[in-house]
Amino acid sequence: FGFNCGSTLTWDSPNAGHVAVTTTLSPSAACVTGMIVTRILKKKWDLGVAVNCVLGGLVSITAGCSTLTAGLAVLTGMIGALVYIGSSKLMKKIGVDDPVDAIAVHGFCGIWGVI
């Protein structure tokens, strides 16, 4: 919140509230999406995936937090979760040693957020 809302330069800016809303909605949607997808794919709940989806949702929304609508923030987070899950699997498949999935969260979700 400090990064996204603070980058509006002042907390009393009308845009700061909008940024706070989109910055909340995206990781929330990412977490729910990631939990559902993981439950369907693995037949179990995975807290690590849920937390990384939250981070992926935050990374995904950062570039557009002041310009995207609330609905698009939710969609951005949902797609961010799918990007995280897919890129995490890809990194494991090609043998990249990334125990905390930093490449999937920051690299791939960051690219998605910029797009």
Side-chain angles (χ1 to χ4, degrees):
F1 280 97
F3 180 76
N4 283 355
C5 297
S7 67
T8 63
L9 302 179
T10 61
W11 271 101
D12 61 350
S13 165
N15 202 27
H18 176 76
V19 170
V21 168
T22 58
T23 301
T24 302
L25 290 174
S26 180
S28 300
C31 183
V32 171
T33 302
M35 289 172 52
I36 291 169
V37 169
T38 301
R39 178 72 175 156
I40 291 168
L41 295 177
K42 292 183 175 181
K43 307 288 189 243
K44 64 178 184 174
W45 301 107
D46 190 335
L47 181 61
V49 171
V51 171
N52 276 339
C53 283
V54 168
L55 293 173
L58 285 166
V59 170
S60 296
I61 196 63
T62 297
C65 64
S66 65
T67 58
L68 295 176
T69 65
L72 288 175
V74 170
L75 183 63
T76 299
M78 292 170 72
I79 295 172
L82 300 176
V83 168
Y84 163 72
I85 291 169
S87 59
S88 176
K89 289 183 182 299
L90 174 66
M91 292 296 101
K92 289 177 180 130
K93 184 173 183 161
I94 63 175
V96 174
D97 184 23
D98 186 9
V100 295
D101 279 339
I103 296 169
V105 169
H106 294 282
F108 286 89
C109 290
I111 291 168
W112 157 242
V114 171
I115 293 173

